[in-house]
């Protein structure tokens, strides 16, 4: 299992800005997890969705091709015991609603969550069907974690295959996720990182000084 963290960070500010943010990528194997952290300064409605199963145009205006694996989105509170708040898989129940229909399978199985959330910090997790949360907290893990490429055996694909849909058809490793109405924290770096960055910067400046040139030292009171 490969766990990836997605964070938009700056080394010079700790401010957060409300935004619609689009991410794309690829899984390496079926039991991969990708996590997205975000903040809300006040109570608001957010939309968390995928595009890669049926395709479409994401919040950033990019065209997303259809054909990706069947995604699962799980939302956790990022504080305290990191409780599970919501899960969406296989398009939920009822008609397709805001989800597009995949031209190949005929399913509308992109994940979609539209939620009224309180101010706070949250953790969104992207996995592949049927890698769903085990329990009521993030620490409880996910059902298929550590199983590698589980979809071939579970959904009737050829031995060694990956990204197999429940009907046995082959899908791709691609994913695309939108976070709409959220804020991505841009934390200040820890002191050790600041010292490392300053040291690297000083080293670069020193390497560019001509021979015999002395560095000026300034003292601030």
């Amino acid at each position: 299992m490969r766990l990836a963290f997605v964070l938009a960070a700056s080394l010079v500010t700790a401010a957060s800005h409300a935004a619609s943010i689009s991410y794309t990528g690829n899984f390496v194997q079926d039991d991969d997890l990708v996590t997205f952290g975000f903040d809300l300064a006040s109570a608001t409605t957010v939309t968390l969705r995928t595009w890669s199963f049926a395709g479409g145009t994401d919040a950033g205006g990019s065209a997303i091709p259809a054909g990706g694996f069947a995604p699962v989105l799980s939302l956790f509170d990022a504080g305290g015991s990191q409780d599970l708040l919501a899960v969406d898989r296989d398009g939920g129940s009822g008609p397709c609603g805001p989800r597009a229909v995949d031209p190949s399978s005929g399913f509308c199985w992109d994940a979609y969550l539209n939620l009224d959330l309180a101010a706070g910090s949250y953790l969104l997790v992207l996995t592949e069907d049927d890698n769903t949360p085990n329990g009521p907290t993030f620490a409880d893990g996910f059902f298929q974690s550590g199983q590698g490429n589980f979809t071939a055996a579970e959904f009737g694909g050829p031995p060694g295959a990956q990204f197999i849909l429940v009907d046995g058809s082959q899908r791709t490793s691609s994913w695309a996720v939108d976070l709409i109405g959220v804020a991505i924290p841009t934390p200040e770096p820890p002191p050790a990182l600041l010292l490392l960055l300053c040291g690297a910067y000083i080293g670069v400046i020193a390497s560019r000084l001509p021979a015999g040139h002395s560095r000026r030292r300034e003292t601030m009171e």
Side-chain angles (χ1 to χ4, degrees), residues 36-64:
F36 310 85
F38 65 90
D39 292 338
L40 296 178
S42 59
T44 191
T45 300
V46 302
T47 299
L48 313 168
R49 66 178 303 167
T50 67
W51 291 98
S52 42
F53 185 81
T57 303
D58 68 14
S62 297
I64 306 298

Side-chain angles (χ1 to χ4, degrees), residues 84-85 133 150 185:
L84 177 64
L85 303 176
F150 61 86

Side-chain angles (χ1 to χ4, degrees), residues 4-221:
F5 296 90
V6 177
L7 177 66
S10 166
L11 295 179
V12 295
T13 177
S16 296
H17 306 281
S20 296
I21 304 172
S22 299
Y23 298 104
T24 60
N26 295 84
F27 274 11
V28 173
Q29 58 188 30
D30 289 329
D31 70 342
D32 282 352
L33 306 176
V34 179
T35 68
F36 310 85
F38 65 90
D39 292 338
L40 296 178
S42 59
T44 191
T45 300
V46 302
T47 299
L48 313 168
R49 66 178 303 167
T50 67
W51 291 98
S52 42
F53 185 81
T57 303
D58 68 14
S62 297
I64 306 298
F69 60 83
V72 180
L73 287 178
S74 304
L75 182 67
F76 297 84
D77 188 333
S81 57
Q82 297 185 309
D83 293 332
L84 177 64
L85 303 176
V87 180
D88 190 73
R89 59 179 292 195
D90 297 345
S93 58
C96 291
R99 305 171 181 86
V101 177
D102 174 53
S104 175
S105 67
F107 300 135
C108 46
W109 283 359
D110 272 301
Y112 182 93
L113 294 169
N114 183 253
L115 303 168
D116 295 324
L117 298 177
S121 297
Y122 296 89
L123 186 67
L124 181 68
V125 183
L126 170 69
T127 56
E128 182 180 1
D129 186 41
D130 151 73
N131 195 14
T132 52
N134 281 328
T137 72
F138 181 70
D140 292 316
F142 287 75
F143 181 63
Q144 296 287 359
S145 292
Q147 300 303 309
N149 293 317
F150 61 86
T151 57
E154 184 164 350
F155 300 142
Q162 55 185 173
F163 311 117
I164 303 299
L165 200 61
V166 67
D167 64 359
S169 62
Q170 180 67 60
R171 307 294 288 187
T172 74
S173 63
S174 297
W175 57 263
V177 175
D178 273 353
L179 282 65
I180 301 172
V182 307
I184 301 298
T186 54
E188 295 177 349
L193 179 57
L194 280 174
L195 290 173
L196 179 62
L197 292 172
C198 289
Y201 176 75
I202 291 170
V204 170
I205 296 299
S207 68
R208 293 180 178 177
L209 292 173
H213 190 97
S214 60
R215 291 188 291 272
R216 183 178 61 182
R217 183 175 61 183
E218 296 181 356
T219 301
M220 300 184 62
E221 297 181 354

